[in-house]
Amino acid sequence: MFKGKARAYTNIALIKYWGKRNEELIIPMNNSLSLTLDAFYTETEVVFSDEFKEDQFYLDDQLQDEQATKKISHFLDLVREKANIQLKAKVISQNFVPTAAGLASSASGLAALAGACDSALSLGLDSRALSRLARRGSGSACRSIFGGFVEWEKGHDDLSSYAQPIASDSFEEELAMVFLLINDQKKDVSSRDGMRRTVETSSFYQGWLDSVETDLYQLKQAIKTKDFQLLGETMERNALKMHGTTLAALPPFTYWSPDSLKAMQLVRKLRNEGIPCYFTMDAGPNVKVLVEKKNLPIVQDTLIDSFSKQQVVSAQAGPGIAIIE
């Protein structure tokens, strides 16, 4: 029997990953850049044993159905190939983040599973190799191997597509992110399906791709010079462009809800009143607001006034993956 356990934190992309060049290897169409956060995380234990007749996947104490287990088994097959074993496994995952609600639970979940497998089977993977392995489970998981600001190099094949931390002179320690949980239910259009539909059918998609390099350059400059305004403006613009691509897909779709729009308006109102803060959204209705720590209380209070206390969760920069002994 081989056993390992790991904890990984969710990350929020400031420059979005939207679209795959290679579906099987999960090679993205563009580089992305994220901030790992401390408020949401996943702890995953994996046990490989000759006692198991098939793979089992438990999420939050519930045995998962065939479809969810199939995705995990596919990932475990990659690990078994690396370790040259055939043992079936039991995966026990505890999500301290709502699943499939646009809060990047797949990032923390698959990163934690990669770390747990590495620990269980003594694969001895360095952080880059671990990032590459996590990517095969979920693209954004490759970024959750590291803390702070992280860039995912798109690469062109399995070896060249991985994430790495960005030097920031601790700029992330001055920042906070407020999550507005508008909906923690499962999405109508999954990230995977939404991404594929957009790449294949959206007339706006090429415009998105053409502008990503500029956004990435400006965001890195903002990190380098600790320019919060440039960081926020670039992040917000990038998110709006990504969501714009879904409106021109066939058939069109959006992850926004009326409350998403209401939250965006509140952020703009705060800015007009002299409180610098900026929003971003992933593939879901929840809105994340980037703010300097000194202005965190006023942003929280403003959102709580219009929503509820339970819907507003604050986070700070989080650490990289940890093995739990």
Side-chain angles (χ1 to χ4, degrees):
M1 185 193 291
F2 303 96
K3 191 191 279 192
K5 189 174 183 180
R7 179 192 299 123
Y9 292 80
T10 196
N11 70 77
I12 294 299
L14 311 182
I15 300 293
K16 302 299 183 196
Y17 146 52
W18 195 240
K20 296 185 183 79
R21 190 177 300 278
N22 182 312
E23 290 262 347
E24 173 59 24
L25 294 174
I26 312 188
I27 308 292
M29 297 287 269
N30 60 277
N31 283 29
S32 55
L33 199 153
S34 64
L35 180 62
T36 302
L37 297 163
D38 65 355
F40 304 109
Y41 60 95
T42 305
E43 288 185 355
T44 298
E45 181 176 54
V46 64
V47 182
F48 292 90
S49 171
D50 54 13
E51 291 175 17
F52 303 140
K53 299 285 177 272
E54 58 185 11
D55 292 327
Q56 293 174 301
F57 174 37
Y58 288 85
L59 178 61
D60 298 333
D61 305 321
Q62 298 287 318
L63 181 63
Q64 298 298 292
D65 63 17
E66 194 180 339
Q67 191 184 353
T69 306
K70 195 175 168 185
K71 182 181 177 183
I72 295 299
S73 287
H74 177 68
F75 182 80
L76 292 171
D77 287 342
L78 299 170
V79 173
R80 284 186 274 255
E81 196 181 330
K82 273 185 189 298
N84 198 19
I85 60 166
Q86 301 252 275
L87 300 174
K88 297 297 182 186
K90 183 194 280 188
V91 174
I92 303 156
S93 204
Q94 205 70 28
N95 241 350
F96 299 88
V97 41
T99 304
L103 283 177
S105 61
S106 62
S108 54
L110 271 299
L113 179 57
C117 289
D118 180 45
S119 174
L121 300 171
S122 304
L123 296 176
L125 301 178
D126 61 20
S127 54
R128 181 174 292 185
L130 192 58
S131 175
R132 285 176 40 232
L133 176 61
R135 189 199 79 235
R136 297 293 302 274
S138 169
S140 51
C142 74
R143 299 187 307 241
S144 278
I145 300 300
F146 305 98
F149 291 111
V150 181
E151 182 176 7
W152 176 8
E153 296 279 352
K154 64 181 178 184
H156 52 84
D157 60 11
D158 184 35
L159 279 173
S160 58
S161 186
Y162 53 82
Q164 55 190 0
I166 297 234
S168 65
D169 193 21
S170 303
F171 181 31
E172 68 272 19
E173 291 174 18
E174 299 171 23
L175 309 176
M177 192 171 268
V178 185
F179 287 72
L180 182 60
L181 307 181
I182 286 164
N183 184 350
D184 65 358
Q185 303 306 303
K186 213 165 163 111
K187 295 176 291 206
D188 293 338
V189 181
S190 72
S191 308
R192 189 168 295 207
D193 292 345
M195 224 178 252
R196 187 184 296 130
R197 191 190 303 178
T198 307
V199 172
E200 290 173 0
T201 69
S202 176
S203 56
F204 293 171
Y205 189 71
Q206 191 57 47
W208 149 263
L209 273 188
D210 291 345
S211 69
V212 168
E213 283 302 315
T214 302
D215 289 349
L216 198 61
Y217 174 78
Q218 289 185 324
L219 201 102
K220 284 178 169 174
Q221 284 298 110
I223 293 170
K224 198 174 178 179
T225 58
K226 298 192 176 187
D227 184 336
F228 179 69
Q229 184 178 338
L230 181 60
L231 183 77
E233 286 175 352
T234 308
M235 173 194 80
E236 190 173 293
R237 184 172 64 239
N238 184 265
L240 287 170
K241 281 186 289 196
M242 180 204 116
H243 284 274
T245 65
T246 70
L247 300 175
L250 295 173
F253 66 101
T254 182
Y255 292 108
W256 296 1
S257 72
D259 277 348
S260 308
L261 290 162
K262 181 177 160 187
M264 291 183 223
Q265 283 303 106
L266 282 172
V267 171
R268 291 188 182 107
K269 184 170 176 283
L270 278 165
R271 278 211 298 269
N272 290 337
E273 291 167 359
I275 305 297
C277 57
Y278 301 87
F279 63 79
T280 188
M281 292 174 68
D282 292 298
N286 304 302
V287 177
K288 296 96 178 178
V289 185
L290 189 67
V291 62
E292 291 164 296
K293 278 183 186 171
K294 63 185 179 187
N295 290 320
L296 178 60
I298 193 163
V299 171
Q300 285 173 318
D301 291 347
T302 302
L303 292 172
I304 288 167
D305 282 347
S306 294
F307 293 94
S308 74
K309 204 168 186 174
Q310 289 70 38
Q311 287 176 280
V312 178
V313 181
S314 297
Q316 297 175 17
I321 193 168
I323 301 303
I324 300 170
E325 297 302 339

